[in-house]
Every structure is written in C-alpha cells, then in structure tokens.
Amino acid sequence: MSAENENVKNKQYEDDVDMDNIAENAEAGETSEQNDTVSGDGEADKTAHDDGRDKLEKDFAKLKDDYVRLYAEMDNMKKRAQQESEKTIKFAVSSFAKELLAVADNLERAIAAMGDNKESCAELLKGVELTQNELTKVFEKFGIKRFNHIGEKFDPNFERVVQEIEDKKAKSGVILAELQAGYTIHDRILREAMVVVAK
C-alpha cells in the first residue's frame, strides 16, 4: 500500500470520527434541550397546580364560613320563633281574662253587700263565695293573680292613683285603700289597681 493511500484512509477515518462526534454532540444537545423543556413545563404545571389548590382552599373556607353563619342565623330564628310562640300561647287569654275581672269585682261587691245581713242571706252568701273561689282557681290555672299593695309605697307600674287624702299616720305615697283590685297574668300587668294614697 502506498503512502498516499494510507493518508487518504487516515483522513477518511478522522472525518468519520468527527462526524460521529458531531452527531453525538447534536444528540446530547437535543436531549439537554428536551430536559430543559420538560423541566420548565413541570415547574409551570406545579405552579398552576399550587394556584388552583390555593383557590380551592379559599373557596372552601368561604363556603364553610357562609355555612356556619347561615346555621347560626337559622338557629337564632328558630329560637325566636319558639319564644314568640310560647308568649302567644301564654298571653292568648289576656283579653278574655280582662273581661272576667268584672265578674270577680261583682262577686266581691255582692259578698260585701251581704256582710251586714249574714244570717238572712247565709245560703246566698255561701253560693257567691263558692263561685268566687272557683273563679279564683280558674284564674290561678291560667297564671292570673290578684295583687294587693295596701300599706306599701305606691308603684306606678302596678297602681293608678284615683284619690289622695291626708293621713298623719302614713307616709306620703303609701297606699291606704284599694278601690279596684289589680291583677297580673304570668307576671305581666293585666289590670292596674285603682288606689287611694296618702298625701
């Protein structure tokens, strides 16, 4: 083999090696670019995922807060409705009871009128007293009570003054007599008492 042929062969071998190196370098570059691209896309996906998660957590927290508020409002509304219903039932008989107070007043007047003639009106007196006792029991059953503050200081929440008289034994403003009885229904005023007080 001639020296010239040997040089050509070596040159061809070197060119082939260079081509292989270039191809390898090109592949390595592409792989690196692909890795960079995948890495970049992965970070973008992760950021988008985190943003979506944060939004969902905020939405969930808002919905939970709205639910708790709504539940509390509904619970309060239920309690108020129950209280109103109880009050309505409790005081439903007020107007009817007020009308019955006149009956109680008349029974008292009848008993007082017969006081002087107890012997001649004994049976009638007994009947009226029994009627009065029955009425008192019915009143108590429905929470209606008579109050009597004679000898106590006048209270405008319970009494209405119809007369003031001089009385040296009593302090000013003390109730001396009751002209009309006062009543309460479940601790609420049903009718004020009409009273006479000391000046």
Side-chain angles (χ1 to χ4, degrees), residues 1-198:
M1 186 181 285
S2 67
E4 191 177 317
N5 285 341
E6 186 67 33
N7 284 339
V8 170
K9 199 171 184 182
N10 285 339
K11 176 81 169 132
Q12 181 68 35
Y13 175 76
E14 286 174 2
D15 288 346
D16 287 345
V17 169
D18 286 344
M19 288 301 286
D20 286 344
N21 285 340
I22 288 168
E24 284 177 8
N25 287 339
E27 281 181 16
E30 283 178 9
T31 306
S32 175
E33 285 176 12
Q34 286 175 353
N35 286 343
D36 288 346
T37 304
V38 168
S39 175
D41 287 348
E43 286 177 12
D45 286 347
K46 187 177 179 187
T47 303
H49 181 267
D50 288 346
D51 289 345
R53 184 184 178 107
D54 288 345
K55 186 177 182 308
L56 283 173
E57 285 177 354
K58 284 178 184 174
D59 289 347
F60 175 75
K62 184 180 181 304
L63 287 171
K64 185 179 177 183
D65 186 55
D66 289 347
Y67 169 77
V68 169
R69 286 174 189 271
L70 186 62
Y71 183 84
E73 283 178 22
M74 291 297 290
D75 192 46
N76 287 339
M77 195 182 299
K78 182 181 173 184
K79 286 177 183 173
R80 279 195 300 270
Q82 190 174 355
Q83 287 172 351
E84 287 300 318
S85 176
E86 286 173 2
K87 277 185 184 177
T88 301
I89 292 167
K90 208 173 188 181
F91 298 107
V93 296
S94 291
S95 58
F96 174 67
K98 213 165 188 175
E99 296 298 321
L100 281 180
L101 297 182
V103 177
D105 292 341
N106 288 333
L107 287 172
E108 281 187 27
R109 289 187 192 106
I111 291 168
M114 287 183 277
D116 296 333
N117 302 313
K118 282 187 180 177
E119 292 178 8
S120 59
C121 302
E123 291 301 316
L124 178 60
L125 179 61
K126 188 177 178 182
V128 174
E129 285 175 342
L130 287 172
T131 306
Q132 186 186 39
N133 290 339
E134 283 301 313
L135 185 61
T136 303
K137 285 178 187 175
V138 172
F139 280 176
E140 286 175 0
K141 183 178 177 182
F142 289 97
I144 301 163
K145 292 179 183 172
R146 177 179 174 165
F147 60 86
N148 186 338
H149 297 160
I150 293 175
E152 297 177 19
K153 183 82 174 169
F154 160 72
D155 184 344
N157 295 313
F158 290 92
E159 291 95 18
R160 186 159 42 113
V161 177
V162 291
Q163 189 179 356
E164 286 182 287
I165 60 172
E166 292 281 351
D167 191 326
K168 293 178 181 178
K169 294 179 182 177
K171 291 182 180 178
S172 177
V174 170
I175 298 169
L176 300 174
E178 191 177 69
L179 301 180
Q180 181 176 273
Y183 288 86
T184 58
I185 180 167
H186 299 292
D187 300 322
R188 184 187 286 182
I189 290 292
L190 184 60
R191 184 179 76 183
E192 298 171 319
M194 295 170 68
V195 297
V196 177
V197 299

